Amino acid sequence: MLTSQDQARLDALYDSMQEASHTFLGYPVARDFDYEPLYRFLKFPSNNIGDPFQSSTYRLGTREFEREVVDFFANLYRAPKTDYWGYVTNGGTEGNLYGLYLARELYPNGIVYFSEDTHYSVAKNVHFLGLRHIMIRAQENGEIDYEDLKESVRLHRDVPAIIFANIGTTMKEGKDDIRRIQNILDDLVVLNRYIHSDGAFCGPFASFLDPKPAFDFADGADSIAISGHKFIGAPMPCGVVIARKRNVERIGRTIGYIGSLDTTITGSRNAYTPLMLWYAIKVMGEQGLRQRLAHCQELARYAVESLNQHGIAAWRNPNALTVVFPKVADAIKNKWQLATQDVSHLIVMPGVTKENIDALIADLAQPTQETT
Ligand SMILES: *Cc1c(COP(=O)(O)O)cnc(C)c1O
Protein backbone atom coordinates (compact mmCIF):
# COMPACT_ATOMS: atom_id res chain seq x y z
CA MET A 1 0.00 0.00 0.00
CA LEU A 2 1.20 3.49 -0.80
CA THR A 3 1.32 5.98 2.03
CA SER A 4 -1.26 8.73 1.65
CA GLN A 5 1.58 11.11 0.88
CA ASP A 6 2.85 8.94 -1.97
CA GLN A 7 -0.69 8.46 -3.22
CA ALA A 8 -1.12 12.23 -3.27
CA ARG A 9 2.08 12.63 -5.28
CA LEU A 10 0.88 10.09 -7.81
CA ASP A 11 -2.44 11.89 -8.15
CA ALA A 12 -0.68 15.22 -8.57
CA LEU A 13 1.51 13.74 -11.30
CA TYR A 14 -1.57 12.45 -13.08
CA ASP A 15 -3.20 15.86 -12.92
CA SER A 16 -0.14 17.65 -14.21
CA MET A 17 0.26 15.19 -17.11
CA GLN A 18 -3.40 15.58 -17.91
CA GLU A 19 -3.01 19.34 -17.91
CA ALA A 20 0.17 19.32 -20.04
CA SER A 21 -1.51 17.12 -22.64
CA HIS A 22 -3.95 19.92 -23.41
CA THR A 23 -1.31 22.39 -24.56
CA PHE A 24 0.93 20.09 -26.56
CA LEU A 25 1.51 21.22 -30.13
CA GLY A 26 5.24 21.06 -30.79
CA TYR A 27 6.10 17.35 -30.90
CA PRO A 28 4.98 14.87 -33.52
CA VAL A 29 2.96 12.47 -31.42
CA ALA A 30 -0.69 11.52 -31.80
CA ARG A 31 -2.90 11.65 -28.73
CA ASP A 32 -6.10 10.07 -29.97
CA PHE A 33 -5.28 6.41 -29.29
CA ASP A 34 -7.25 4.03 -27.13
CA TYR A 35 -5.62 0.73 -26.27
CA GLU A 36 -7.87 -0.15 -23.39
CA PRO A 37 -8.80 -3.57 -24.87
CA LEU A 38 -5.11 -4.47 -24.49
CA TYR A 39 -4.71 -3.48 -20.83
CA ARG A 40 -5.31 -7.08 -19.71
CA PHE A 41 -2.05 -8.13 -21.34
CA LEU A 42 -0.12 -5.95 -18.92
CA LYS A 43 -0.26 -8.60 -16.23
CA PHE A 44 2.12 -10.94 -18.09
CA PRO A 45 5.92 -10.73 -17.92
CA SER A 46 5.91 -10.74 -21.70
CA ASN A 47 9.06 -10.47 -23.77
CA ASN A 48 9.79 -10.86 -27.49
CA ILE A 49 13.47 -11.62 -26.89
CA GLY A 50 15.28 -12.79 -30.02
CA ASP A 51 14.26 -12.78 -33.66
CA PRO A 52 10.56 -12.19 -34.38
CA PHE A 53 10.66 -14.70 -37.23
CA GLN A 54 12.12 -17.51 -35.09
CA SER A 55 10.50 -19.35 -32.24
CA SER A 56 12.11 -19.06 -28.82
CA THR A 57 12.09 -21.04 -25.61
CA TYR A 58 10.58 -17.87 -24.09
CA ARG A 59 7.00 -18.30 -25.27
CA LEU A 60 5.31 -15.55 -23.26
CA GLY A 61 5.38 -13.11 -26.14
CA THR A 62 3.61 -11.67 -29.17
CA ARG A 63 5.95 -12.59 -32.04
CA GLU A 64 3.15 -13.71 -34.33
CA PHE A 65 1.53 -10.28 -34.03
CA GLU A 66 4.87 -8.56 -34.36
CA ARG A 67 5.45 -10.37 -37.66
CA GLU A 68 2.11 -9.10 -38.95
CA VAL A 69 3.15 -5.54 -38.10
CA VAL A 70 6.41 -6.07 -39.99
CA ASP A 71 4.52 -7.58 -42.95
CA PHE A 72 2.12 -4.64 -43.05
CA PHE A 73 4.89 -2.06 -43.30
CA ALA A 74 7.11 -4.15 -45.58
CA ASN A 75 4.19 -4.37 -47.98
CA LEU A 76 3.47 -0.65 -47.67
CA TYR A 77 7.14 0.10 -48.40
CA ARG A 78 7.27 -2.20 -51.43
CA ALA A 79 9.96 -4.38 -49.87
CA PRO A 80 11.10 -7.34 -51.99
CA LYS A 81 8.60 -10.12 -51.19
CA THR A 82 11.15 -12.81 -50.39
CA ASP A 83 13.94 -10.63 -49.09
CA TYR A 84 12.71 -8.55 -46.18
CA TRP A 85 12.97 -8.78 -42.44
CA GLY A 86 12.13 -6.46 -39.57
CA TYR A 87 11.12 -6.03 -35.97
CA VAL A 88 9.34 -3.69 -33.59
CA THR A 89 11.91 -1.39 -32.00
CA ASN A 90 11.96 1.02 -29.08
CA GLY A 91 11.54 3.90 -31.51
CA GLY A 92 12.93 5.62 -34.55
CA THR A 93 16.38 5.98 -33.04
CA GLU A 94 16.85 2.23 -32.62
CA GLY A 95 15.62 1.58 -36.17
CA ASN A 96 18.02 4.18 -37.51
CA LEU A 97 20.88 2.67 -35.53
CA TYR A 98 19.93 -0.72 -36.93
CA GLY A 99 20.01 0.48 -40.53
CA LEU A 100 23.43 2.03 -40.00
CA TYR A 101 24.64 -1.14 -38.27
CA LEU A 102 23.68 -3.27 -41.30
CA ALA A 103 25.38 -0.72 -43.55
CA ARG A 104 28.56 -0.91 -41.52
CA GLU A 105 28.63 -4.72 -41.61
CA LEU A 106 28.38 -4.48 -45.37
CA TYR A 107 30.84 -1.60 -45.76
CA PRO A 108 33.04 -1.29 -42.66
CA ASN A 109 35.08 1.49 -44.26
CA GLY A 110 32.10 3.35 -45.71
CA ILE A 111 31.39 7.04 -45.15
CA VAL A 112 27.97 8.11 -43.88
CA TYR A 113 26.48 11.20 -45.51
CA PHE A 114 23.60 13.04 -43.89
CA SER A 115 22.27 16.57 -43.92
CA GLU A 116 22.75 19.12 -41.18
CA ASP A 117 18.99 19.00 -40.51
CA THR A 118 19.18 15.31 -39.55
CA HIS A 119 17.91 14.21 -36.11
CA TYR A 120 20.45 14.78 -33.34
CA SER A 121 20.67 11.06 -32.50
CA VAL A 122 22.29 10.17 -35.80
CA ALA A 123 25.67 11.79 -35.14
CA LYS A 124 25.81 9.84 -31.86
CA ASN A 125 24.87 6.55 -33.54
CA VAL A 126 27.52 7.01 -36.20
CA HIS A 127 29.96 7.58 -33.37
CA PHE A 128 28.81 4.36 -31.62
CA LEU A 129 29.45 2.45 -34.81
CA GLY A 130 32.84 4.05 -35.37
CA LEU A 131 31.84 5.17 -38.85
CA ARG A 132 33.24 8.19 -40.60
CA HIS A 133 30.67 10.74 -41.62
CA ILE A 134 30.35 13.92 -43.66
CA MET A 135 27.64 16.40 -42.91
CA ILE A 136 25.92 17.88 -45.94
CA ARG A 137 24.28 21.28 -46.18
CA ALA A 138 20.49 21.44 -46.01
CA GLN A 139 18.31 23.66 -48.15
CA GLU A 140 16.08 26.29 -46.59
CA ASN A 141 13.13 23.83 -46.65
CA GLY A 142 15.05 21.19 -44.72
CA GLU A 143 15.82 18.95 -47.72
CA ILE A 144 19.40 17.86 -48.37
CA ASP A 145 21.47 20.05 -50.72
CA TYR A 146 22.03 17.68 -53.65
CA GLU A 147 24.89 19.73 -55.12
CA ASP A 148 26.78 19.63 -51.85
CA LEU A 149 26.10 15.89 -51.58
CA LYS A 150 27.39 15.30 -55.08
CA GLU A 151 30.56 17.31 -54.51
CA SER A 152 31.25 15.54 -51.22
CA VAL A 153 30.74 12.04 -52.62
CA ARG A 154 32.85 12.94 -55.66
CA LEU A 155 35.82 13.60 -53.39
CA HIS A 156 35.47 10.09 -51.89
CA ARG A 157 34.44 8.08 -54.91
CA ASP A 158 36.74 5.22 -53.94
CA VAL A 159 34.90 4.68 -50.62
CA PRO A 160 31.45 3.05 -50.20
CA ALA A 161 28.69 5.63 -49.68
CA ILE A 162 26.20 5.14 -46.85
CA ILE A 163 23.38 7.64 -47.25
CA PHE A 164 21.20 8.48 -44.29
CA ALA A 165 18.14 10.09 -45.89
CA ASN A 166 15.44 12.05 -44.08
CA ILE A 167 11.83 11.35 -44.88
CA GLY A 168 10.63 14.32 -42.93
CA THR A 169 13.23 16.24 -40.93
CA THR A 170 12.52 16.95 -37.30
CA MET A 171 12.14 20.73 -37.54
CA LYS A 172 10.76 21.41 -41.03
CA GLU A 173 9.60 18.03 -42.34
CA GLY A 174 11.93 18.31 -45.32
CA LYS A 175 12.19 15.13 -47.40
CA ASP A 176 15.30 13.90 -49.20
CA ASP A 177 14.56 12.33 -52.57
CA ILE A 178 16.37 9.00 -52.69
CA ARG A 179 15.78 8.49 -56.42
CA ARG A 180 17.66 11.71 -56.98
CA ILE A 181 20.35 10.49 -54.60
CA GLN A 182 20.57 7.16 -56.48
CA ASN A 183 21.03 9.13 -59.71
CA ILE A 184 23.88 11.13 -58.18
CA LEU A 185 25.61 7.90 -57.12
CA ASP A 186 25.01 6.45 -60.60
CA ASP A 187 26.56 9.53 -62.22
CA LEU A 188 29.61 9.20 -60.00
CA VAL A 189 29.73 5.41 -60.56
CA VAL A 190 29.76 4.72 -56.84
CA LEU A 191 28.56 1.12 -56.92
CA ASN A 192 29.09 0.27 -53.26
CA ARG A 193 26.24 2.10 -51.61
CA TYR A 194 23.66 1.71 -48.89
CA ILE A 195 20.65 3.96 -48.39
CA HIS A 196 18.71 4.15 -45.15
CA SER A 197 15.44 6.09 -44.93
CA ASP A 198 14.68 7.78 -41.63
CA GLY A 199 10.91 7.76 -41.72
CA ALA A 200 10.56 8.23 -37.96
CA PHE A 201 8.05 10.95 -38.50
CA CYS A 202 6.58 10.60 -42.02
CA GLY A 203 7.10 6.87 -42.57
CA PRO A 204 3.64 5.75 -41.45
CA PHE A 205 1.92 8.05 -43.96
CA ALA A 206 4.53 8.87 -46.64
CA SER A 207 3.18 6.14 -48.95
CA PHE A 208 -0.18 7.91 -49.04
CA LEU A 209 1.13 11.33 -50.03
CA ASP A 210 0.49 12.66 -53.51
CA PRO A 211 3.01 12.98 -55.03
CA LYS A 212 4.56 10.09 -53.13
CA PRO A 213 8.04 10.98 -51.91
CA ALA A 214 10.85 8.71 -53.15
CA PHE A 215 11.80 6.87 -49.96
CA ASP A 216 10.84 3.17 -50.07
CA PHE A 217 12.44 -0.07 -51.23
CA ALA A 218 11.20 0.25 -54.81
CA ASP A 219 12.74 3.74 -54.85
CA GLY A 220 16.07 2.26 -53.75
CA ALA A 221 16.11 2.16 -49.94
CA ASP A 222 17.94 -0.70 -48.21
CA SER A 223 16.26 -0.13 -44.84
CA ILE A 224 13.53 2.07 -43.40
CA ALA A 225 12.89 3.03 -39.78
CA ILE A 226 9.70 4.55 -38.42
CA SER A 227 8.40 5.59 -35.01
CA GLY A 228 5.16 4.02 -33.83
CA HIS A 229 4.30 6.55 -31.13
CA LYS A 230 4.27 9.51 -33.50
CA PHE A 231 1.66 9.40 -36.27
CA ILE A 232 0.05 6.12 -35.21
CA GLY A 233 0.23 6.90 -31.51
CA ALA A 234 1.12 4.90 -28.40
CA PRO A 235 1.46 5.57 -24.69
CA MET A 236 5.12 4.55 -24.84
CA PRO A 237 7.83 4.94 -27.48
CA CYS A 238 8.01 2.25 -30.16
CA GLY A 239 8.88 1.87 -33.82
CA VAL A 240 9.46 -0.53 -36.68
CA VAL A 241 12.53 -1.21 -38.81
CA ILE A 242 12.39 -3.03 -42.13
CA ALA A 243 15.55 -4.20 -43.88
CA ARG A 244 16.70 -6.54 -46.61
CA LYS A 245 16.86 -10.06 -45.21
CA ARG A 246 20.12 -10.92 -46.87
CA ASN A 247 21.81 -8.04 -45.04
CA VAL A 248 20.36 -9.21 -41.71
CA GLU A 249 21.56 -12.77 -42.30
CA ARG A 250 25.11 -11.47 -42.22
CA ILE A 251 24.78 -10.50 -38.55
CA GLY A 252 22.52 -13.17 -36.96
CA ARG A 253 24.09 -15.52 -34.42
CA THR A 254 22.31 -18.51 -32.88
CA ILE A 255 22.01 -18.20 -29.10
CA GLY A 256 21.32 -21.44 -27.22
CA TYR A 257 20.16 -19.66 -24.08
CA ILE A 258 17.13 -18.10 -25.79
CA GLY A 259 16.74 -20.75 -28.50
CA SER A 260 16.64 -18.06 -31.15
CA LEU A 261 18.77 -15.86 -33.37
CA ASP A 262 20.32 -12.70 -31.98
CA THR A 263 19.42 -10.38 -34.84
CA THR A 264 18.09 -7.38 -32.90
CA ILE A 265 19.95 -4.65 -31.01
CA THR A 266 18.61 -5.25 -27.52
CA GLY A 267 18.16 -8.62 -25.85
CA SER A 268 14.82 -8.38 -24.05
CA ARG A 269 12.29 -6.70 -26.27
CA ASN A 270 8.92 -5.13 -25.62
CA ALA A 271 6.09 -7.55 -26.42
CA TYR A 272 3.39 -5.04 -25.61
CA THR A 273 4.21 -2.38 -28.22
CA PRO A 274 3.91 -4.86 -31.15
CA LEU A 275 0.44 -5.67 -29.86
CA MET A 276 -0.52 -1.99 -29.82
CA LEU A 277 0.78 -1.40 -33.33
CA TRP A 278 -1.02 -4.52 -34.53
CA TYR A 279 -4.22 -3.31 -32.91
CA ALA A 280 -3.90 0.16 -34.43
CA ILE A 281 -3.29 -1.27 -37.90
CA LYS A 282 -6.24 -3.63 -37.61
CA VAL A 283 -8.62 -0.98 -36.29
CA MET A 284 -7.58 1.79 -38.71
CA GLY A 285 -6.37 -0.12 -41.71
CA GLU A 286 -4.79 1.66 -44.64
CA GLN A 287 -8.03 3.53 -45.22
CA GLY A 288 -8.09 4.86 -41.67
CA LEU A 289 -4.48 6.00 -41.91
CA ARG A 290 -5.30 7.85 -45.13
CA GLN A 291 -8.25 9.58 -43.47
CA ARG A 292 -6.10 10.57 -40.51
CA LEU A 293 -3.59 12.08 -42.89
CA ALA A 294 -6.23 14.00 -44.85
CA HIS A 295 -7.67 15.42 -41.64
CA CYS A 296 -4.26 16.57 -40.37
CA GLN A 297 -3.36 18.13 -43.70
CA GLU A 298 -6.58 20.08 -43.76
CA LEU A 299 -5.86 21.43 -40.29
CA ALA A 300 -2.22 22.23 -41.17
CA ARG A 301 -3.46 24.23 -44.16
CA TYR A 302 -5.82 26.06 -41.84
CA ALA A 303 -3.03 26.78 -39.34
CA VAL A 304 -0.78 28.37 -41.98
CA GLU A 305 -3.61 30.49 -43.35
CA SER A 306 -4.75 31.61 -39.97
CA LEU A 307 -1.22 32.43 -38.77
CA ASN A 308 -0.60 34.41 -41.95
CA GLN A 309 -3.84 36.32 -41.42
CA HIS A 310 -2.51 37.30 -38.01
CA GLY A 311 0.67 38.63 -39.57
CA ILE A 312 2.86 35.66 -38.62
CA ALA A 313 5.13 34.44 -41.43
CA ALA A 314 4.20 30.76 -41.20
CA TRP A 315 4.84 28.20 -43.96
CA ARG A 316 4.95 24.47 -44.49
CA ASN A 317 6.50 22.13 -47.02
CA PRO A 318 4.07 20.73 -49.63
CA ASN A 319 1.78 18.22 -47.90
CA ALA A 320 3.58 18.64 -44.57
CA LEU A 321 1.99 18.48 -41.12
CA THR A 322 4.71 20.71 -39.69
CA VAL A 323 3.99 24.44 -39.67
CA VAL A 324 7.14 26.53 -39.36
CA PHE A 325 7.23 30.14 -38.12
CA PRO A 326 9.68 32.61 -36.57
CA LYS A 327 10.98 31.76 -33.14
CA VAL A 328 8.41 32.44 -30.42
CA ALA A 329 8.88 33.93 -26.94
CA ASP A 330 9.86 31.57 -24.14
CA ALA A 331 6.49 31.82 -22.38
CA ILE A 332 4.70 30.54 -25.47
CA LYS A 333 7.35 27.97 -26.20
CA ASN A 334 6.94 26.54 -22.72
CA LYS A 335 3.17 26.72 -22.53
CA TRP A 336 2.59 25.02 -25.89
CA GLN A 337 5.70 22.85 -25.71
CA LEU A 338 6.89 24.14 -29.08
CA ALA A 339 10.22 22.67 -30.18
CA THR A 340 12.34 25.67 -31.09
CA GLN A 341 15.75 26.05 -32.74
CA ASP A 342 16.38 28.89 -35.19
CA VAL A 343 12.64 28.67 -35.91
CA SER A 344 9.63 27.32 -34.02
CA HIS A 345 7.09 24.85 -35.28
CA LEU A 346 3.75 23.34 -34.47
CA ILE A 347 2.93 19.87 -35.70
CA VAL A 348 -0.62 19.00 -36.59
CA MET A 349 -0.86 15.41 -35.42
CA PRO A 350 -3.96 13.28 -34.95
CA GLY A 351 -5.62 14.60 -31.79
CA VAL A 352 -4.77 18.27 -32.44
CA THR A 353 -7.94 20.30 -32.82
CA LYS A 354 -8.86 23.54 -34.52
CA GLU A 355 -9.54 24.94 -31.03
CA ASN A 356 -5.94 24.14 -30.00
CA ILE A 357 -4.63 26.02 -33.03
CA ASP A 358 -6.93 28.97 -32.44
CA ALA A 359 -5.86 29.18 -28.81
CA LEU A 360 -2.18 29.13 -29.75
CA ILE A 361 -2.75 31.87 -32.33
CA ALA A 362 -4.63 33.95 -29.78
CA ASP A 363 -1.57 33.72 -27.51
CA LEU A 364 0.79 34.56 -30.37
CA ALA A 365 -1.30 37.53 -31.43
CA GLN A 366 -1.14 39.17 -27.97
CA PRO A 367 0.31 42.61 -28.64
CA THR A 368 2.50 42.37 -25.54
CA GLN A 369 4.20 39.28 -26.91
CA GLU A 370 7.87 39.98 -27.45
CA THR A 371 9.75 37.51 -29.60
CA THR A 372 13.20 36.83 -28.35
C1 LIG B 1 11.50 11.46 -33.84
C2 LIG B 1 12.55 11.32 -34.86
C3 LIG B 1 13.66 10.48 -34.67
C4 LIG B 1 13.86 9.74 -33.38
O1 LIG B 1 12.87 8.80 -33.21
P1 LIG B 1 12.46 8.29 -31.73
O2 LIG B 1 11.26 7.45 -32.03
O3 LIG B 1 12.19 9.50 -30.92
O4 LIG B 1 13.60 7.49 -31.23
C5 LIG B 1 14.57 10.36 -35.67
N1 LIG B 1 14.43 11.03 -36.81
C6 LIG B 1 13.38 11.85 -37.05
C7 LIG B 1 13.28 12.56 -38.35
C8 LIG B 1 12.41 12.02 -36.07
O5 LIG B 1 11.37 12.84 -36.31
Side-chain angles (χ1 to χ4, degrees):
M1 268 281 278
L2 283 181
T3 63
S4 58
Q5 200 182 8
D6 288 336
Q7 184 61 48
R9 283 189 61 204
L10 212 49
D11 293 343
L13 173 66
Y14 184 84
D15 291 343
S16 82
M17 287 176 78
Q18 181 89 21
E19 196 272 324
S21 76
H22 291 139
T23 49
F24 189 62
L25 291 181
Y27 293 90
V29 294
R31 271 176 290 169
D32 61 342
F33 52 81
D34 178 8
Y35 294 110
E36 204 162 334
L38 302 179
Y39 289 178
R40 61 190 163 132
F41 290 93
L42 280 172
K43 70 176 185 188
F44 300 115
S46 63
N47 197 324
N48 279 6
I49 192 163
D51 188 304
F53 288 86
Q54 309 270 328
S55 60
S56 163
T57 326
Y58 198 123
R59 284 192 294 111
L60 212 50
T62 62
R63 283 187 197 79
E64 183 186 331
F65 290 73
E66 181 177 17
R67 288 196 293 271
E68 286 183 31
V69 172
V70 169
D71 291 344
F72 176 85
F73 287 105
N75 184 44
L76 198 59
Y77 301 151
R78 303 187 292 174
K81 289 268 177 283
T82 56
D83 183 30
Y84 72 79
W85 180 92
Y87 73 100
V88 173
T89 61
N90 275 322
T93 305
E94 184 182 342
N96 287 336
L97 175 62
Y98 197 77
L100 288 170
Y101 173 41
L102 294 180
R104 190 197 67 182
E105 294 310 287
L106 209 52
Y107 302 121
N109 67 335
I111 296 180
V112 185
Y113 300 87
F114 56 85
S115 88
E116 59 184 324
D117 278 19
T118 298
H119 192 263
Y120 64 87
S121 61
V122 175
K124 173 185 66 191
N125 285 346
V126 162
H127 185 61
F128 275 161
L129 292 167
L131 281 164
R132 270 204 295 164
H133 75 271
I134 295 177
M135 201 180 279
I136 306 298
R137 272 196 293 277
Q139 304 177 47
E140 200 48 47
N141 71 352
E143 187 174 354
I144 198 166
D145 180 328
Y146 300 97
E147 276 312 304
D148 192 30
L149 176 66
K150 186 165 188 175
E151 286 320 303
S152 304
V153 177
R154 190 198 301 282
L155 293 172
H156 306 277
R157 281 183 51 190
D158 53 330
V159 181
I162 301 170
I163 312 285
F164 187 95
N166 291 305
I167 315 308
T169 58
T170 312
M171 277 311 287
K172 299 174 179 168
E173 207 176 324
K175 300 185 194 80
D176 304 341
D177 183 325
I178 70 171
R179 279 200 186 266
R180 211 164 149 185
I181 292 172
Q182 290 280 12
N183 289 340
I184 289 172
L185 299 174
D186 286 345
D187 284 350
L188 297 171
V189 206
V190 174
L191 302 181
N192 291 331
R193 59 178 87 161
Y194 186 103
I195 300 190
H196 174 81
S197 288
D198 175 4
F201 178 20
C202 297
F205 60 85
S207 305
F208 310 135
L209 293 171
D210 181 22
K212 191 184 87 60
F215 79 101
D216 69 13
F217 286 89
D219 294 317
D222 293 294
S223 47
I224 302 178
I226 66 169
S227 297
H229 57 287
K230 292 186 173 175
F231 185 73
I232 294 171
M236 58 193 86
C238 56
V240 182
V241 65
I242 311 285
R244 293 182 191 275
K245 192 161 88 191
R246 68 183 126 102
N247 290 334
V248 175
E249 280 165 355
R250 305 169 60 87
I251 61 163
R253 281 188 311 133
T254 304
I255 309 294
Y257 174 67
I258 58 170
S260 183
L261 276 177
D262 186 22
T263 37
T264 58
I265 288 186
T266 65
S268 288
R269 295 192 306 110
N270 201 320
Y272 195 66
T273 46
L275 211 50
M276 288 189 286
L277 293 178
W278 179 89
Y279 183 84
I281 289 166
K282 290 290 175 185
V283 169
M284 288 191 264
E286 207 178 299
Q287 201 47 40
L289 288 170
R290 282 179 192 274
Q291 279 164 6
R292 250 162 123 66
L293 174 64
H295 177 76
C296 292
Q297 286 195 330
E298 186 53 42
L299 217 48
R301 193 175 309 126
Y302 168 78
V304 171
E305 255 171 40
S306 192
L307 282 160
N308 290 346
Q309 275 165 13
H310 285 83
I312 296 160
W315 61 276
R316 65 181 183 123
N317 272 309
N319 282 327
L321 308 184
T322 305
V323 176
V324 185
F325 40 89
K327 202 166 166 170
V328 298
D330 280 348
I332 292 200
K333 173 179 129 179
N334 293 333
K335 173 175 174 189
W336 291 97
Q337 306 168 65
L338 301 181
T340 298
Q341 289 179 357
D342 52 326
V343 290
S344 295
H345 70 195
L346 83 91
I347 307 189
V348 181
M349 293 307 274
V352 170
T353 61
K354 185 165 169 293
E355 289 69 37
N356 293 150
I357 292 168
D358 290 343
L360 166 68
I361 292 174
D363 280 354
L364 284 170
Q366 294 273 335
T368 53
Q369 202 56 66
E370 272 177 39
T371 41
T372 50

